[in-house]
RNA sequence: GCCGGAAUGGCGGAACUGGUAGACGCGCCGGACUCAAAAUCCGGUUCCAGCAAUGGAGUGUGGGUUCGAUUCCCUCUUCCGGCACCA
């Protein structure tokens, strides 16, 4: 055994050993022999962006800790890995470097796979998949066609960001402040035909099934429920006459009780009525055009100034018969409800602002606890429920009664009824981009849109295209475009849109069970492995990816491809990895960002940071606060440097130690040194005590459980009894913490164990060490420490386990059991409080009764002193913890 | 703007169901070793007053419930994530 910790050597040897023995291979049920239960532990697969980033290291370390822990607990663990390999960055890289996205992607996969291996994750690489291979995406196409057959896929028009200069569709992230990222041109909204997946057919089920997921974080379930957005309201029709025809403007509202306070109606700029009115009104047409400028992002729309224009058209109030003017409002969303709203300025904040701006009447119709209403300024309580006033026959009714009455009256006039509306919209999957799954459709002049027959799947994406920013290169590929109509046999044109990459990630976790199955999308192995027992990924995926995956699962279940309802039994959402952003402003408002690795801090005497300088020139740099690691802010940290300098175990230990998984993690180099120091100290300690531990191992033939300590250990060797008590107390905590995924305190438990072992022994005992309590306690403690630390830092523990003579593979050793007998104490110390304030301590026998403790407390000197002679009102005893005397 | 989170020493964080606030680590201060430095080891370290014993304050802000609140409720502030074409 080397005297000094050498991570490079240890890690190379451990990884080679695990590779040779196939340690990470998951067993199929027929091979498990003893019938170990399965445990499918899955981390969200990475986009192959080039190199691993810290978020990956964090994600996959968490997954590996959970996987290795469950293996110690006797499970047949599956931990697979693959590549979310289609997507926009590959096209951007192609534009920058003139390299085909395929080539760039496969190169990145090779690099990142190497990096993952160097971190020692117990991944079953035999199941690796990449979504950009035809073997995988053919099943995207196949299921798309099945969904088309049963009406779960359909075609309609959708809105995209259009760059009028590059004449191309842009992704939201390519639109900056309403302008194209490359051209700077003002972006327009444009409607084009797209394919949609009917996720709304499952709205009710997606919402209700959240209650069947106790293993999901509450906050994720809340976010999904809000996203699905079920709301109960009333659909109201406002009749009008247009060109001699009787028509009805439909709106949806959750506040039908305010119907008598409607003073106008507003429609979205895309609403047919707006288009109609604009035809005869140049100013209105200009306004509608103005609304069409800018991005399609909801966040942008929501933060725009609320603007509107009257259409000159009037509708009739369905109850009062009053004429109401119809406005076009830029804040009305075409995608929600009917694309039109009734304006109730008195009781809706947005309508209030709108009415004030354009001088529309405000008519209060709800009385909230008799508070006085004033139209001067909006008050939050204006939107609260109350009792109807100024509402004719509805006066005096509360929310529920008035909604019921109004809905009934509307129904009688055939102008509305109660209705449930969802915020959730169907999933538009068409992308006007090259690097994705081709949509298997053929456009025929005679037959229309014809599905590609199954026996012609997959529609293979040519891999040698290089996008240049001028649109989808597939549109220029005759060999791709030209095809024959499967229906009539005439020449036809292939669809060039590709699928949203969320399609790829919606079912990859199922394919891991049968990645080599070429004849079908899934096979019998899926039944054994799925659903995923533990899913781990970034909190940023809390809504979209997880919702689409849940939807996709329900579709596959409906098509009888799988038998489960929900894909992920338990979910752990890890926090983002952040780092400080440093910059300097040069001339002309230009900002240069500096990587934190190149910045040094200047500290004052107390160790408080006083400033920061660039190491290269020693001059100050400014801090722009903390943000997610990104290329644009140059604040990323390359884990490769960390692994090379300190080794994988240090990288893993630091990632786990520095904060609990669900919390955002702020990067700091300083803590890395601490983790490295601990591992070095650990190694040095093991080296120092190798002889007695190995001797004990030999005596016990490697056995590391069922230690026999004399019953009078506490009396005979109080120090060893104290050591055992501490070791088992820490173990108890660590066992609890690792099961609730709080790995930072598991790491600190390992540190405490080392401190305990280190502090309990001295050289004299080492010299005297033969068989005996000292040696046995040391052997036991070390065996526990190695197993507690192993899931986090497996290489070093693996090496020490065998160097110290413990039997078998640490990989398969069971997680240690707490010896409750070791925790026993004859006397315990209680905290003594007077009126809830700490005033002293009390040592009592662990068997002391409540009455005994009370009497000891009341007569205690500190209680007498702080009680100042006042009578004792009562004493509260919390067993094993404290006693509080109230005076 | 809407939805969801978070806030504790100089720093990362701990405190499980309301019961000793600051575990563990970093940094800093002091000491040992060394010609010296690095590394390592030992001790100290929430703030204020005090030689000390001890006392007071303290978990983003302001309020509430309780014998007792970092923990539960309400208010506000700041930061982070998502908002349907980044993944």
């Amino acid at each position: 055994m080397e005297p000094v910790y050498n991570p490079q050597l240890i890690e190379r040897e451990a990884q080679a050993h695990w590779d040779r023995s196939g340690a990470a291979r998951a067993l199929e049920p027929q091979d498990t022999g003893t019938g170990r239960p399965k445990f499918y532990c899955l981390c969200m697969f990475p986009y192959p962006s080039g190199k691993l980033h810290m978020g990956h290291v964090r994600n996959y370390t968490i997954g590996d800790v959970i996987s290795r822990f469950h293996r110690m607990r006797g499970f047949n663990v599956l931990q697979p890995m693959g590549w979310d390999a289609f997507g926009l960055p590959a096209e951007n890289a192609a534009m920058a470097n003139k390299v085909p996205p395929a080539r760039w992607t496969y190169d990145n996969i090779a690099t990142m796979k190497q990096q993952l291996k160097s971190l020692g994750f117990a991944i079953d690489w035999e199941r690796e998949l990449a979504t950009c291979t035809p073997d995988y995406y053919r099943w995207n196409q196949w299921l798309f066609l099945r969904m088309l057959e049963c009406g779960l896929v359909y075609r309609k028009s959708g809105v995209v960001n259009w760059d009028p200069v590059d004449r191309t569709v842009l992704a939201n992230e390519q639109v900056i402040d309403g302008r194209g990222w490359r051209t700077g041109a003002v972006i327009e909204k444009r409607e084009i035909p797209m394919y949609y997946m009917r996720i709304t057919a499952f709205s009710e089920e997606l919402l209700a099934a959240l209650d069947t997921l106790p293993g999901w974080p509450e906050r994720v379930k809340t976010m999904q429920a809000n996203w699905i957005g079920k709301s109960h309201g009333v659909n109201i029709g406002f009749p009008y006459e247009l060109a001699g025809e009787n028509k009805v403007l439909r709106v949806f509202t959750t506040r039908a009780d305010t119907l008598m306070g409607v003073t106008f109606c507003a429609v979205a700029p895309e609403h047919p009525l707006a288009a109609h009115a604009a035809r005869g009104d140049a100013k209105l047409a200009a306004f509608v055009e103005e609304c069409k400028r800018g991005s399609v992002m909801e966040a942008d729309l929501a933060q725009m100034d609320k603007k509107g224009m009257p259409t000159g058209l009037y509708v009739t109030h369905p109850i009062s018969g009053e004429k109401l003017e119809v406005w076009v409002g830029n804040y009305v969303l075409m995608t929600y409800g009917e694309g039109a709203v009734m304006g109730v300025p008195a009781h809706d904040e947005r309508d209030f602002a709108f009415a004030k701006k354009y001088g529309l009447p405000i008519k209060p119709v709800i009385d909230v606890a008799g508070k006085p209403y004033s139209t001067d300024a909006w008050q939050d309580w204006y939107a609260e429920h109350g009792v109807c006033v100024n509402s004719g026959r509805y006066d005096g009714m509360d929310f529920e009664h008035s909604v019921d009455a109004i809905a009934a009256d509307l129904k009688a006039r055939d102008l509305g009824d109660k209705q449930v509306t969802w915020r959730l919209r169907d999933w538009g999957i068409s992308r006007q981009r090259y690097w994705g799954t081709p949509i298997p459709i053929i456009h025929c002049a005679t037959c229309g849109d014809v599905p590609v027959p199954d026996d012609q799947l997959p529609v293979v994406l040519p891999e040698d295209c290089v996008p240049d920013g001028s649109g989808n290169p597939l549109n220029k590929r005759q060999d791709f475009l030209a095809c024959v109509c499967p229906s009539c046999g005439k020449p036809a044109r292939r669809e060039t849109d590709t699928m949203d990459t969320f399609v790829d990630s919606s079912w990859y976790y199922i394919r891991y069970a049968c990645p080599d199955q070429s004849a079908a999308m899934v096979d019998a192995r899926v039944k054994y492995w799925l659903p995923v027992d533990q899913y781990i990924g970034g909190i940023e995926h809390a809504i979209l990816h997880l919702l689409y995956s849940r939807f996709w699962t329900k579709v596959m279940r409906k098509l009888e491809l799988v038998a489960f309802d929900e894909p992920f039994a338990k979910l752990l959402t890890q926090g983002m990895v952040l780092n400080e952003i440093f910059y300097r402003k040069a001339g002309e408002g230009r900002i240069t960002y500096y990587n934190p690795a190149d910045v040094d801090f200047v500290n004052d005497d107390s160790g408080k940071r006083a400033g920061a300088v660039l190491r290269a020139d020693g001059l100050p740099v400014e801090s722009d606060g903390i943000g997610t690691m990104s290329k644009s802010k140059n604040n990323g940290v390359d884990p490769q440097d960390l692994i090379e300098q300190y080794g994988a175990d240090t990288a893993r230990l630091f990632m786990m130690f520095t904060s609990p998984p669900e919390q955002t993690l702020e990067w700091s180099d300083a803590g890395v040194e601490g983790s490295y120091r601990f591992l070095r100290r650990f190694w040095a300690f093991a080296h120092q005590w190798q002889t007695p531990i190995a001797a004990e191992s030999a005596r016990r033939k490697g056995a590391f459980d069922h230690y026999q300590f004399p019953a009078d250990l506490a009396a005979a060797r109080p120090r060893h009894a104290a050591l055992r008590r501490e070791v088992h107390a820490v173990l108890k905590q660590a066992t609890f913490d690792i099961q609730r995924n709080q790995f930072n305190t598991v790491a600190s438990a390992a540190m405490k164990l080392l401190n305990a072992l280190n502090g309990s022994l001295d050289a004299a005992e080492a010299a005297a060490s033969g068989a005996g309590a000292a040696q046995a306690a040391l052997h036991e403690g070390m065996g526990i420490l190695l197993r507690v630390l192993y899931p986090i830092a497996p290489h070093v523990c693996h090496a020490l386990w065998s160097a110290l003579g413990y039997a078998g593979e640490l990989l398969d050793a069971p997680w240690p059991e707490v010896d409750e007998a070791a925790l026993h104490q004859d006397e315990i110390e209680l905290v003594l409080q007077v009126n809830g304030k700490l005033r002293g301590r009390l040592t009592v026998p662990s068997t002391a009764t409540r009455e005994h403790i009370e009497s000891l407390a009341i007569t205690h000197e500190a209680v007498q002193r702080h009680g100042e002679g006042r009578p004792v009102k009562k004493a509260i005893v919390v067993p094993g913890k404290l006693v509080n005397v109230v005076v």
Side-chain angles (χ1 to χ4, degrees), chain A residues 15 34 38 74 220 230 248 250 262 279 392 508 675 718 752 791 798:
Chain A
Q15 285 167 17
T34 54
K38 67 99 181 177
V220 174
K230 184 179 191 175
V248 173
R250 300 222 147 262
V262 174
R279 250 170 271 163
Y508 73 104
S675 296
K752 281 183 196 174
H798 166 87

Side-chain angles (χ1 to χ4, degrees), chain A residues 815-865:
Chain A
W815 183 262
E817 298 281 339
V818 176
D819 180 1
E820 292 290 343
L823 298 175
H824 174 78
Q825 291 182 84
D826 292 332
E827 287 197 319
I828 52 171
E829 191 178 66
L830 295 184
V831 160
L832 183 59
Q833 295 183 338
V834 178
N835 289 342
K837 281 191 188 287
L838 177 68
R839 293 302 181 194
R841 278 156 217 283
L842 204 57
T843 303
V844 300
S846 54
T847 53
T849 61
R850 190 175 287 264
E851 292 72 25
H852 182 52
I853 293 169
E854 268 184 37
S855 67
L856 283 175
I858 289 164
T859 54
H860 193 277
E861 169 272 328
V863 174
Q864 298 299 320
R865 186 152 47 89

Side-chain angles (χ1 to χ4, degrees), chain A residues 744-758:
Chain A
N744 54 330
T745 49
V746 177
S748 68
M751 294 174 185
K752 281 183 196 174
L753 287 172
L754 181 62
N755 291 346
L757 291 172
N758 210 0

Side-chain angles (χ1 to χ4, degrees), chain A residues 34 233 427 464 502 514 524 590 707 837:
Chain A
T34 54
W427 175 15
D464 53 354
F502 275 125
C514 54
R590 272 186 181 280
Y707 292 82
K837 281 191 188 287

Side-chain angles (χ1 to χ4, degrees), chain A residues 80-83 109-110 113 123-130 512 515:
Chain A
M81 185 55 67
W83 308 96
I109 287 175
K113 184 173 179 181
I123 290 166
D124 185 351
W125 284 106
E126 288 175 24
R127 295 162 187 271
E128 180 181 5
L129 59 81
Y512 279 137

